Structure formats: C-alpha cells, structure tokens
C-alpha cells in the first residue's frame, strides 16, 4: 500500500512568528542576554516578518544565535522559559494550519514538521499538534551547557535530503506527498514532493511558485494553541516547548511520542 505524508515548515507556516527569536525579552529579564542583543533580535524578527530571510540572512542569524547561547546553562534557560511560556506562545499558531494538519491526518497521511528551529521547540509543538514526526535542528550540549556549536542544521537543501531519507525509511511515495513553506530557501523541499504549496510566501518564493504553478495559501488567523489543542500539564514539557525557540540549531528527531505510547514503530 502506498504511503504519503504532508511536510510542514514551522515559522510563518504553522506559527505566526519566528520561533528562533520569540524568547529574547524573557531571556533578557532572566539575565541571559543584554538589551543590545534583544534589540538585534527584534531587528532580525522584523526582517524575517517583513520580507523573509534569504540564505545569507539566515546564515548571519544562525551565527548570531549560536554565539549568543554559548555557555548558557540549559536548566536555567528552561526555568525562565517555563515561567514566561504562555506570554510568548499565546497566540502563535495559525488556525488555518491546525485545520490543514487535521485534514491530512484524517486522510491517512503522516504529518511531518520540518524546521531549522531546534528540537526543543519543534518536538513539543509537533506532539501538541498531532504530528507523526519532526525533522529539526540541534545545538550541542556539554555538561549541561550550550557550547555554541551546531550538531545538525535542518536548512535549505538539507530539508530535502532529510525528507527523502524519511520517505525511504517510512515507504512514502513522494509524488503523492504534500509540502508547505513560506520561504524560498525551502524550494528544494517543496520541489521534492508531488503537491507543493507556498504559504504566506516571501517575494522570491511567490515568484518561484508562479513560475512552477504551485498553489499559494494565505494564513492570517493566529489562534491560541490551547484553544485548539490541549496543552500538557507537565512543567518540563512546557519548558522544552519554548527553549528551542531561542535559536535555530542542529539535529534530526524522527520519533513521535504518541506512537511510542501506542507501541508503533
């Protein structure tokens, strides 16, 4: 039997802002970053939201965030995030994206979130939304502290390579799969599937979509996540949800907690 999946980018596709930069102010309040760093993060957020970020801008952002978090104590970060989570995340999720994810699930397709953001944010959001798998980035941790090094960066062509590997592992027919993203940097991922969609596209992706005949979707209705999907009560889970929003960094995570609980491999 042919299997299929729907692959979703995260920032500006499922959520209405950059998960990479969303927690700058709480980290300043907790003494982890300076006012200057917060202002730089705010500017980067503006660039991201106003016109998207090209490869060069994303590389500068990656370098900035990697150097910023070097030496941070992971436990301290999680404590700060747990205390400020609801102020940052509510509202953040596009209602249209939640509905689309549900439609794919009901149609029997696996839902996979593919993001350059860290596993710390992508995994919990994926679980809350009922995603079957996530592909995300991971930042290196040594002795409980972030080193500033990146183990794996799920960005650009690497997203396409990752979903192709997942398709081989899970038996997906990519010609029957769907893809959703806002950024021209995700053209390789979108081109790898049979049904690509540009969501809130930046100007370059809009041009690419027009030339290739890809549908364009506009998501405009952010909604509080807990109003659509019940949030788990565990503080540690909520902390993990937000920590990854501080940086776009390295690693791949294929495991879905729901399937673990059901014993599905």
């Amino acid at each position: 039997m042919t299997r299929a999946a729907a692959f979703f980018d995260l920032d500006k596709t499922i959520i209405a802002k950059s998960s990479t930069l969303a927690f700058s102010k709480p980290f300043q309040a907790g003494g982890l970053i300076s006012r200057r760093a917060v202002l730089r993060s705010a500017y980067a957020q503006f660039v991201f939201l106003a016109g998207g970020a090209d490869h060069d801008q994303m590389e500068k952002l990656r370098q900035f965030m990697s150097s910023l978090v070097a030496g941070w104590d992971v436990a301290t970060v999680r404590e700060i995030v747990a205390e400020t989570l609801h102020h940052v995340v509510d509202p953040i999720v596009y209602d249209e994206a939640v509905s689309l994810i549900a439609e794919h699930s009901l149609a029997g397709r696996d839902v996979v979130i593919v993001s350059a953001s860290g596993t710390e944010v992508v995994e919990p959001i994926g679980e809350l939304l009922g995603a079957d798998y996530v592909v995300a980035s991971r930042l290196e941790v040594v002795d409980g502290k972030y080193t500033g090094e990146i183990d794996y960066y799920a960005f650009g062509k690497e997203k396409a390579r990752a979903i192709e590997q997942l398709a081989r592992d899970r038996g997906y027919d990519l010609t029957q799969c769907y893809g959703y993203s806002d950024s021209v940097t995700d053209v390789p991922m979108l081109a790898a599937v049979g049904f690509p969609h540009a969501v809130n596209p930046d100007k370059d992706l809009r041009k690419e979509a027009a030339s290739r005949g890809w549908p364009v979707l506009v998501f405009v209705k952010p909604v509080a996540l807990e109003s659509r999907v019940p949030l788990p009560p565990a503080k540690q889970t909520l902390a993990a949800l937000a920590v990854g929003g501080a940086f776009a960094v390295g690693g791949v995570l294929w495991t879905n907690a729901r399937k673990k609980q059901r014993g599905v491999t």
Side-chain angles (χ1 to χ4, degrees):
M1 179 179 177
T2 300
R3 302 185 64 188
F7 299 96
F8 288 82
D9 176 46
L10 180 60
D11 297 352
K12 290 179 69 179
T13 303
I14 293 178
I15 64 176
K17 62 175 64 177
S18 168
S19 58
T20 302
L21 305 167
F23 291 89
S24 298
K25 289 185 178 179
F27 287 140
Q28 181 197 23
L32 290 177
I33 61 177
S34 66
R35 173 177 170 79
R36 180 181 180 184
V38 171
L39 293 175
R40 289 182 66 189
S41 296
Y43 175 73
Q45 179 78 270
F46 170 76
V47 171
F48 181 85
L49 293 176
D54 60 21
H55 284 84
D56 291 341
Q57 290 169 326
M58 285 296 292
E59 177 60 21
K60 290 178 181 178
L61 175 61
R62 182 190 67 80
Q63 293 175 357
F64 166 60
M65 298 310 296
S66 295
S67 63
L68 183 66
V69 304
W72 285 11
D73 180 78
V74 176
T76 300
V77 171
R78 291 187 176 183
E79 181 178 357
I80 293 172
V81 167
E83 294 174 353
T84 61
L85 177 67
H86 67 283
H87 295 296
V88 176
V89 175
D90 187 13
I92 194 171
V93 180
Y94 281 120
D95 189 47
E96 298 95 335
V98 175
S99 297
L100 192 56
I101 287 170
E103 290 176 13
H104 281 296
S105 294
L106 288 173
R109 302 183 191 96
D110 285 350
V111 172
V112 184
I113 296 176
V114 188
S115 176
S117 293
T119 56
E120 296 90 344
V121 66
V122 184
E123 181 187 10
I125 287 180
E127 183 177 348
L128 292 175
L129 293 174
D132 297 284
Y133 302 96
V134 304
V135 177
S137 298
R138 185 179 68 247
L139 189 68
E140 182 182 63
V141 175
V142 174
D143 296 329
K145 297 182 183 297
Y146 298 109
T147 68
E149 297 297 321
I150 295 174
D151 285 335
Y152 178 85
Y153 192 34
F155 175 72
K157 292 181 180 179
E158 186 55 39
K159 285 189 177 184
R161 286 192 287 267
I163 69 172
E164 287 166 357
Q165 182 60 55
L166 186 57
R168 288 190 289 270
D169 293 342
R170 302 303 300 173
Y172 300 141
D173 178 355
L174 287 176
T175 67
Q176 299 302 311
C177 290
Y178 292 69
Y180 302 90
S181 179
D182 71 288
S183 175
V184 70
T185 62
D186 285 341
V187 165
M189 179 184 82
L190 294 176
V193 301
F195 301 97
H197 296 74
V199 178
N200 296 341
D202 57 38
K203 63 179 181 180
D204 291 331
L205 179 57
R206 186 176 293 276
K207 292 179 182 178
E208 192 74 22
S211 68
R212 293 175 180 249
W214 293 348
V216 174
L217 304 179
V218 179
F219 293 171
V220 295
K221 187 180 178 184
V223 62
L225 184 58
E226 60 247 22
S227 72
R228 291 295 306 267
V229 183
L231 290 173
K235 182 177 180 180
Q236 186 63 27
T237 300
L238 294 180
L241 170 62
V243 173
F247 32 77
V249 290
V252 179
L253 175 66
W254 301 120
T255 308
N256 173 268
R258 292 185 311 142
K259 291 196 171 183
K260 278 186 177 179
Q261 293 170 356
R262 292 193 301 236
V264 177
T265 59

